[in-house]
Amino acid sequence: MLRLSRASKVTISVAAIILFIAANQITFVQHFTARAATKLYVGWKYNHLDLEYEDVEFSPQFGDYSVAYKDKEGRVYGFMVAPKSMPVIILHDPLNESP
């Protein structure tokens, strides 16, 4: 078993974070990150609804990503995810709208 020193672990962690940030400048990776962020969010918060991923697209009007999920009845819900360079923040949750 390979044992790493604490400094090596920190160096590897920092390198992984830098690589992740650099990779998120590529459109395909941004789409994947937006989809992964909403998948985690939807799975954690709305697991009981069995929502199914539909599509992800960048909205130039808002500068954010829209990730669509469909429920069993065919209703589509669009989650807005930002920022463009690393879409991990859910800005709009259509299932949690205040009156």
Side-chain angles (χ1 to χ4, degrees):
M1 180 182 215
L2 178 66
R3 291 193 174 260
L4 297 174
S5 69
R6 183 177 180 98
S8 295
K9 290 178 184 176
V10 169
T11 302
I12 290 170
S13 297
V14 168
I17 290 169
I18 290 171
L19 181 62
F20 180 73
I21 291 170
N24 261 297
Q25 303 311 308
I26 302 168
T27 303
F28 171 79
V29 177
Q30 291 171 345
H31 280 102
F32 177 79
T33 304
R35 181 178 176 184
T38 55
K39 182 174 177 69
L40 288 171
Y41 181 80
V42 166
W44 170 68
K45 197 162 182 181
Y46 302 112
N47 189 35
H48 62 284
L49 295 178
D50 293 326
L51 297 176
E52 203 173 300
Y53 167 77
E54 281 288 301
D55 189 32
V56 61
E57 65 182 50
F58 180 70
S59 172
Q61 297 88 347
F62 298 107
D64 301 325
Y65 282 90
S66 175
V67 184
Y69 283 84
K70 187 190 292 187
D71 66 11
K72 292 177 187 176
E73 287 78 39
R75 290 180 294 231
V76 177
Y77 302 98
F79 293 83
M80 294 301 289
V81 190
K84 178 184 183 216
S85 61
M86 189 174 304
V88 294
I89 301 169
I90 311 298
L91 291 181
H92 174 69
D93 176 348
L95 296 169
N96 189 24
E97 294 179 340
S98 300

